[in-house]
């Protein structure tokens, strides 16, 4: 089944889960699309089965809190940032609920965490104005970059380069093998005083970069030239919430939630808005991602919603 405008418009909430007492700050699909794991401000990690459409188990990180949760390539393991006590990144085995390793180094809140799509490398960006490069097999930082401002960062889909959005005004591209030589490309964007960049993602085809903000606008850039292709707005975000925006897996559409519980979808090529979906969320939709393998997506406030299309196009 192919994702089209009509199929997107037909999506409806199939299930709502109320496992959390506070907002869900992040979630991540497994690469096979079979499970999803969420982190919440109530210090819990909830694992869901996407095929059966039900929560499987709940774990807690009461002491350190949990944010920016990411699956690693090993089955049943995740990395996540702490939002209490310290700013250490933690590597957890879900199987026996034991920490495998800690990654200390940042001394302010971690705001970005991106797992390499090809190996055990991951990068983290922090309010301490650094990006750190890590390997899951070692607690020691493998690389450190001091920046001129607060970063958001992400690997490209091939794991060869990573992008850093710095100070909400420039995007720098680095070659992973020689990042210490500095960026091989820098794109300067017009600074927007009304909002800060809160997320950076590549499309799966590697051609586009999506910058999400805590304001009322998203930007889509050409990943090679740095030109702004589209600015998307028209969704509610008056309280300056960091709303997650995502590409669909086919790189054809961009979607974002809003503080009034609605989801806005645009065509990434034409820039046309193709759908406005009502998730009936009770709070701002802070998390939104499409399943990498199946025709479903998830959205979250303090509740988690699974969506399915209602037509076969």
């Amino acid at each position: 089944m192919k994702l089209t405008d009509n199929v997107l418009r037909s999506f409806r909430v199939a299930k709502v889960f109320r496992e959390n007492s506070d907002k869900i700050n992040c979630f991540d699909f497994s690469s096979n699309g079979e499970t999803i794991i969420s982190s919440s401000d109530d210090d819990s990690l909830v694992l869901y089965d996407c095929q059966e459409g039900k929560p499987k188990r709940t774990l807690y990180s009461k002491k350190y809190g949990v944010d920016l949760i990411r699956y690693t390539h090993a089955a049943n393991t995740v990395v996540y940032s702490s939002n209490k006590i310290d700013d250490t990144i933690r590597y957890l085995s879900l199987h026996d609920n034991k920490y495998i390793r800690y990654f200390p180094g940042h001394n302010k809140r971690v705001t970005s965490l991106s797992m390499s799509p090809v190996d055990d490398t991951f990068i983290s960006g922090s309010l301490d104005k650094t990006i750190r490069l890590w390997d899951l097999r070692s607690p020691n930082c493998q690389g450190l970059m001091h920046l001129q401002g607060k970063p958001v960062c992400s690997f490209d889909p091939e794991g060869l380069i990573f992008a850093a959005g710095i100070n909400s005004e420039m995007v720098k591209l680095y070659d992973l093998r020689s990042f210490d030589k500095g960026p091989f490309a820098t794109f300067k964007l017009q600074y927007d005083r009304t909002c800060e960049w809160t997320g950076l993602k590549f499309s799966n085809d590697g051609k586009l970069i999506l910058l999400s903000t805590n304001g009322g606008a998203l930007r889509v850039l050409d990943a090679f030239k740095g030109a702004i292709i589209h600015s998307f707005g028209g969704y509610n975000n008056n309280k300056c919430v960091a709303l997650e925006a995502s590409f669909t897996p086919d790189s054809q559409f961009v979607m974002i939630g809003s503080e009034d519980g609605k989801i806005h979808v645009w065509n990434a090529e034409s820039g046309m808005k193709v759908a406005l979906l009502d998730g009936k969320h009770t709070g701002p939709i802070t998390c939104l991602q499409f399943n990498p393998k199946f025709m479903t997506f998830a959205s979250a406030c303090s509740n988690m919603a699974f969506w399915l299309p209602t037509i076969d196009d």
Side-chain angles (χ1 to χ4, degrees):
M1 184 171 166
K2 196 164 168 290
L3 207 48
T4 63
D5 295 8
N6 282 341
V7 170
L8 270 167
R9 281 193 278 269
S10 82
F11 270 87
R12 299 292 180 269
V13 174
K15 275 200 172 161
V16 178
F17 306 99
R18 297 177 176 84
E19 304 297 305
N20 295 99
S21 59
D22 206 335
K23 84 161 186 176
I24 294 169
N25 52 40
C26 190
F27 63 65
D28 195 32
F29 281 102
S30 57
S31 56
N32 62 12
E34 290 173 10
T35 63
I36 189 170
I37 191 154
S38 67
S39 54
S40 165
D41 288 356
D42 65 11
D43 305 330
S44 71
L45 298 77
V46 183
L47 181 67
Y48 298 87
D49 185 315
C50 295
Q51 289 168 308
E52 292 182 25
K54 63 182 189 196
K56 278 178 33 169
R57 57 192 292 219
T58 300
L59 306 171
Y60 290 94
S61 180
K62 288 281 186 205
K63 186 175 175 185
Y64 304 108
V66 54
D67 200 349
L68 298 178
I69 195 152
R70 303 280 183 263
Y71 274 112
T72 71
H73 299 296
N76 277 327
T77 59
V78 291
V79 287
Y80 63 83
S81 65
S82 321
N83 54 17
K84 296 198 297 200
I85 297 194
D86 64 17
D87 303 288
T88 298
I89 296 163
R90 294 181 157 75
Y91 181 23
L92 178 72
S93 164
L94 301 174
H95 168 68
D96 49 9
N97 196 20
K98 289 202 166 63
Y99 291 116
I100 302 167
R101 200 159 282 115
Y102 300 119
F103 304 96
H106 287 299
N107 55 32
K108 286 191 176 164
R109 189 166 61 86
V110 176
T111 51
S112 244
L113 199 55
S114 177
M115 194 76 216
S116 162
V118 294
D119 61 22
D120 285 338
T121 313
F122 67 98
I123 51 174
S124 57
S126 160
L127 296 180
D128 64 17
K129 299 184 182 175
T130 65
I131 289 176
R132 287 177 180 263
L133 182 67
W134 310 88
D135 187 305
L136 283 173
R137 295 163 295 193
S138 163
N140 304 321
C141 176
Q142 307 291 303
L144 173 61
M145 297 160 54
H146 291 276
L147 306 163
Q148 301 303 303
K150 295 185 288 193
V152 286
C153 54
S154 178
F155 278 100
D156 82 319
E158 286 167 346
L160 298 173
I161 68 167
F162 62 89
I166 300 160
N167 240 9
S168 304
E169 60 182 351
M170 64 180 83
V171 175
K172 293 176 181 269
L173 302 183
Y174 295 86
D175 186 317
L176 188 60
R177 291 158 305 193
S178 56
F179 70 89
D180 48 340
K181 296 189 173 69
F184 66 83
T186 299
F187 310 136
K188 188 107 168 56
L189 278 67
Q190 182 136 18
Y191 182 64
D192 180 352
R193 282 194 315 279
T194 64
C195 62
E196 291 187 343
W197 297 352
T198 52
L200 183 154
K201 291 182 182 180
F202 280 88
S203 57
N204 274 349
D205 62 10
K207 293 177 181 171
L208 303 172
I209 291 173
L210 177 61
L211 291 166
S212 46
T213 72
N214 62 359
L218 300 173
R219 286 173 174 169
V220 178
L221 310 187
D222 180 311
F224 300 102
K225 302 190 185 104
I228 297 176
I229 300 173
H230 299 297
S231 285
F232 295 131
Y235 55 91
N236 282 3
N237 190 14
N238 301 319
K239 297 195 184 89
C240 295
V241 180
L243 302 172
E244 181 178 25
S246 291
F247 288 105
T248 50
D250 60 8
S251 309
Q252 299 301 304
F253 301 95
V254 170
M255 50 204 308
I256 192 169
S258 61
E259 69 182 10
D260 58 7
K262 293 189 169 60
I263 291 171
H264 300 250
V265 188
W266 296 269
N267 184 302
E269 192 175 359
S270 70
M272 298 288 288
K273 184 173 267 192
V274 295
L276 178 61
L277 306 168
D278 192 354
K280 309 266 191 311
H281 277 282
T282 52
I285 300 176
T286 42
C287 306
L288 175 67
Q289 285 175 40
F290 217 93
N291 188 303
K293 293 284 186 253
F294 300 103
M295 191 59 83
T296 173
F297 68 85
S299 60
C301 53
S302 57
N303 301 334
M304 171 77 83
F306 285 4
W307 298 67
L308 290 170
T310 52
I311 58 165
D312 301 322
D313 204 27

